[in-house]
Amino acid sequence: MEVMEALKGRQSVKSYLPKAVEPEKLEKVLEAGRLAPSAFNHQYRRFIVVDDPAVKRLLREKAGAQPMIEQAPVVLVLCATAETEFTMPCGEKNYPIDAALCGAYMMLEAYEQGLGTCWLGAFDAEAVKDVLGIPAQTRVVTMIPLGYHDGTQERKSRKTLAEIVGHNRY
Ligand SMILES: Cc1cc2nc3c(=O)[nH]c(=O)nc-3n(C[C@H](O)[C@H](O)[C@H](O)COP(=O)(O)O)c2cc1C
């Protein structure tokens, strides 16, 4: 699959079929996250694979009861493990950017594997840490449901290039 095909085809999937994710497909999604770049190549990352229905139920409670967390067969919890206070010379913290790149790579590989995903930011990170036994200094950047979608997803629009691109000046 061409990268552009995946970029155009991927969408946030919010409704999942009760169908398991094959282990080899899950492995490829995790591998895509492993390959993502990071500041200084530090790779301060840990991916938690949640497929226990009881644990998913608890995670859903910590995320505004979003049904997809329980519905999807797998939830990937992306964590930044260290140096979360480090700020790059550009003024931005590196950890959410590093984790977002992992998540983006994973979501695109999932699409290639015929799987749906949705980046989630609406959750209580401290409560999620309690559920999963995540150390205090570690940050939970996102939870990503992973599974087969039911094909009913509405496609979202994007701004045009003319609206978002500047040439030589803002
Ligand atoms: C940083 C971030 C946080 C998001 N948080 C949520 C969320 O908590 N719940 C949800 O249903 N969708 C969430 N989304 C999905 C967005 O709503 C979705 O990406 C956007 O509407 C564009 O739709 P598309 O991904 O299908 O193109 C999030 C996306 C991003 C990038």
Side-chain angles (χ1 to χ4, degrees):
M1 182 183 287
E2 296 281 337
V3 173
M4 188 56 83
E5 189 184 339
L7 291 169
K8 285 184 173 170
R10 183 218 61 84
Q11 57 185 146
S12 294
V13 171
K14 307 199 180 190
S15 179
Y16 293 85
L17 296 173
K19 179 181 174 188
V21 172
E22 297 84 344
E24 59 276 15
K25 291 191 174 186
L26 174 60
E27 184 79 14
K28 284 184 174 156
V29 172
L30 295 169
E31 175 68 358
R34 188 183 74 83
L35 292 173
S38 60
F40 305 106
N41 198 27
H42 276 156
Q43 305 168 67
Y44 291 137
R45 55 183 62 150
R46 187 154 181 89
F47 311 142
I48 304 173
V49 178
V50 179
D51 57 5
D52 181 330
V55 181
K56 284 192 293 166
R57 195 167 309 126
L58 289 172
L59 291 182
R60 179 186 173 184
E61 284 172 15
K62 315 303 179 197
Q66 297 182 78
M68 63 183 127
I69 296 176
E70 226 179 317
Q71 215 182 40
V74 174
V75 178
L76 301 171
V77 181
L78 273 53
C79 302
T81 58
E83 300 257 328
T84 51
E85 295 314 310
F86 178 74
T87 301
M88 296 179 286
C90 66
E92 304 297 337
K93 288 188 185 299
N94 67 298
Y95 81 84
I97 298 169
D98 291 348
L101 284 163
C102 294
Y105 276 41
M106 290 165 134
M107 292 194 296
L108 290 172
E109 178 59 27
Y111 181 79
E112 176 154 33
Q113 296 304 320
L115 296 164
T117 56
C118 183
W119 183 285
L120 297 184
F123 58 87
D124 178 340
E126 290 305 313
V128 167
K129 283 162 72 168
D130 282 347
V131 169
L132 299 175
I134 295 170
Q137 71 278 14
T138 293
R139 307 290 290 236
V140 182
V141 178
T142 186
M143 301 200 289
I144 302 179
L146 176 74
Y148 289 93
H149 59 90
D150 62 12
T152 60
Q153 206 64 37
E154 167 207 350
R155 192 163 290 280
K156 298 286 181 68
S157 66
R158 290 292 190 271
K159 292 179 179 176
T160 64
L161 279 181
E163 290 175 285
I164 62 172
V165 177
H167 291 279
N168 299 314
R169 202 172 160 75
Y170 184 83

